Amino acid sequence: MTPGYVWALTIVAIGGLLAFDFFFHVRKAHEPTLREATIWSIIYVGIALVFGGGVWLLGGSQMGQEYFAGYVTEKALSVDNLFVFLIIISAFKVPRADQQKVLLFGIVFALIARSGFIAAGAFVLEKFAWAFYFFGAFLIFTALKLIHGEISGGDEADEADNVVIRLAKRFIRTTDHYDGDKLFTVENGKRVLTPMLLVMVAIGGTDILFALDSIPAIFGLTTNVYVVFTATAFSLMGLRQLYFLLDGLLDRLVFLSYGLSAILLFIGVKMVLHALHDNDLSFINGGEGVPVPEVTTTVSLGVIVGLLAVTVAVSLLSPRGQALTLLNKFKRESHRYLSSDFAGDAEGREQGYRDLSDLAGRVRQVPRKHLSEGDFDDVDELSERVDAHRRQSIG
């Protein structure tokens, strides 16, 4: 049992980090430089590692391993979340200087939402041991669904146009124009919502969906509520800086979803094995524990780190991974080009067009075995839209 004063000090420290982030980085709208994003990403990861070292020293090796296994898993899931954040922010065309505020809001909302899920999960697992069966089955289902979505080419673009956003646009007076990072502005003498508020609603909604996966996953590694909370919280710290650091590199982790699916599947199986070992359901083995092997925390940590390492290596080094990286870069840059009006920037328009034409040519030269016909059709369709946008900008 973690003492109350330790909880209090931890919460104050995390709140202090968030307040520092807001007042010294986010309050004044600006686009972080690569150097700034790199330095602060390293600092936040360093803080998480030092904290983990303290947990290991004061709480013992078992608790320390549980923290690091949970932290690595939650960090990997958080990086995957950045893909969806990128889609939402791009879809709403949030100005680069104002994206930090959206991201910090997302981090704070995620921490609040996940804290609620942690409290609920801890209560359920303490009162109902059979819940491990449910959580394990849910993670296995989520992993298989994620793999199926990747194989079938599921589109995440709808994340930015969910039912909450559509209802807000229909019943609330909104404008398509930003007014700095303000949530409300005055247009034609009337007070209206800016897209900034809609972006935050979209981010908040997806945060809740992310928590449904991440919280059962970490409870599959440890039931120590303090470890669950701190590993989750520190995995979210620095996510804003990581967004700007990885922007442009996210499309290189083309097989990350497969790696995360394997991790969720592994943890789901681990939870089911634990539930069978401690079984108290009368219709399973007469209410007695089933003699099945249990996966230790050391093995869990090794498997998680190993899966992530293989995922990154295959993404960066395999011919198909390199082909998908090139395709994703073309798609990302095309959408960025299409969202720009190029007012008074004819040189930037033409340079962007030349770069995209070069990228499209390189994608078309990729061997057919590495990309699908649908991928090449997407390149042709996007190229036509870019051509039309260029002609409209000139005219």
Side-chain angles (χ1 to χ4, degrees):
M1 179 69 69
T2 304
Y5 73 89
V6 174
W7 272 101
L9 290 174
T10 303
I11 292 173
V12 168
I14 292 172
L17 287 173
L18 291 172
F20 174 84
D21 221 9
F22 176 76
F23 286 106
F24 289 92
H25 293 116
V26 177
R27 192 176 187 182
K28 183 179 180 180
H30 72 287
E31 179 182 350
T33 63
L34 180 62
R35 182 175 182 273
E36 177 185 342
T38 301
I39 290 173
W40 283 103
S41 293
I42 293 173
I43 288 175
Y44 277 110
V45 171
I47 291 173
L49 295 179
V50 169
F51 180 84
V55 170
W56 193 305
L57 182 65
L58 300 176
S61 61
Q62 175 70 18
M63 190 172 179
Q65 289 180 41
E66 290 177 352
Y67 168 83
F68 282 113
Y71 173 76
V72 172
T73 300
E74 293 298 302
K75 197 67 174 180
L77 290 170
S78 296
V79 171
D80 191 49
N81 297 351
L82 290 181
F83 282 96
V84 181
F85 285 175
L86 180 60
I87 291 170
I88 293 173
I89 288 172
S90 298
F92 281 96
K93 301 178 183 178
V94 181
R96 291 283 291 179
D98 298 322
Q99 290 178 7
Q100 292 199 89
K101 187 171 185 177
V102 173
L103 292 167
L104 185 60
F105 167 82
I107 291 169
V108 173
F109 190 89
L111 186 56
I112 294 173
R114 294 182 191 199
S115 295
F117 278 103
I118 289 170
F123 174 80
V124 169
L125 291 175
E126 183 180 355
K127 298 294 182 181
F128 310 102
W130 55 262
F132 277 100
Y133 285 114
F134 175 78
F135 283 173
F138 177 76
L139 287 180
I140 293 172
F141 169 78
T142 301
L144 296 177
K145 183 179 179 182
L146 188 57
I147 293 173
H148 178 267
E150 287 296 314
I151 294 175
S152 62
D155 188 3
E156 292 178 297
D158 289 340
E159 296 284 355
D161 191 29
N162 58 46
V163 64
V164 176
I165 297 300
R166 291 197 294 273
L167 287 174
K169 288 181 176 179
R170 182 174 180 180
F171 295 107
I172 303 175
R173 187 181 292 111
T174 62
T175 178
D176 293 329
H177 306 292
Y178 288 91
D179 184 7
D181 59 3
K182 295 179 181 177
L183 303 182
F184 298 88
T185 189
V186 176
E187 189 176 79
N188 298 324
K190 297 180 179 179
R191 185 177 174 84
V192 295
L193 294 174
T194 71
M196 183 65 71
L197 184 59
L198 295 179
V199 176
M200 291 185 174
V201 171
I203 293 290
T206 54
D207 276 336
I208 293 176
L209 296 178
F210 293 151
L212 293 176
D213 295 339
S214 66
I215 298 307
I218 193 170
F219 269 118
L221 298 170
T222 176
T223 55
N224 186 312
V225 180
Y226 182 76
V227 171
V228 171
F229 174 76
T230 52
T232 300
F234 281 110
S235 73
L236 294 171
M237 296 291 105
L239 197 60
R240 176 185 62 79
Q241 292 85 351
L242 194 61
Y243 173 90
F244 290 98
L245 178 62
L246 295 182
D247 185 19
L249 298 178
L250 281 174
D251 50 17
R252 302 190 66 182
L253 301 177
V254 292
F255 296 124
L256 179 62
S257 291
Y258 289 103
L260 293 178
S261 298
I263 291 173
L264 292 178
L265 185 62
F266 167 75
I267 297 175
V269 171
K270 180 179 183 294
M271 292 189 82
V272 171
L273 290 175
H274 176 79
L276 287 170
H277 187 271
D278 295 342
N279 175 64
D280 61 357
L281 295 179
S282 59
F283 58 86
I284 297 178
N285 198 35
E288 299 295 326
V290 180
V292 295
E294 283 207 273
V295 182
T296 66
T297 304
T298 303
V299 171
S300 297
L301 181 58
V303 169
I304 291 168
V305 172
L307 286 171
L308 287 176
V310 170
T311 299
V312 172
V314 173
S315 295
L316 299 179
L317 301 177
S318 71
R320 175 164 170 75
Q322 293 173 352
L324 288 172
T325 294
L326 193 61
L327 175 67
N328 289 342
K329 182 177 181 181
F330 172 76
K331 288 182 176 181
R332 177 172 54 83
E333 294 299 329
S334 294
H335 288 300
R336 183 170 293 176
Y337 185 91
L338 292 170
S339 66
S340 303
D341 57 17
F342 297 109
D345 186 19
E347 182 179 348
R349 177 192 65 221
E350 293 306 309
Q351 183 60 52
Y353 180 77
R354 287 192 294 271
D355 292 342
L356 283 173
S357 297
D358 177 65
L359 269 176
R362 291 167 60 191
V363 174
R364 292 189 180 101
Q365 292 175 2
V366 170
R368 295 280 166 171
K369 63 181 179 180
H370 296 319
L371 294 175
S372 68
E373 287 301 319
D375 291 330
F376 289 106
D377 291 340
D378 288 343
V379 173
D380 292 337
E381 188 268 336
L382 274 173
S383 295
E384 291 175 2
R385 289 174 58 190
V386 167
D387 288 339
H389 188 67
R390 175 175 174 265
R391 289 194 298 270
Q392 184 180 15
S393 299
I394 294 175

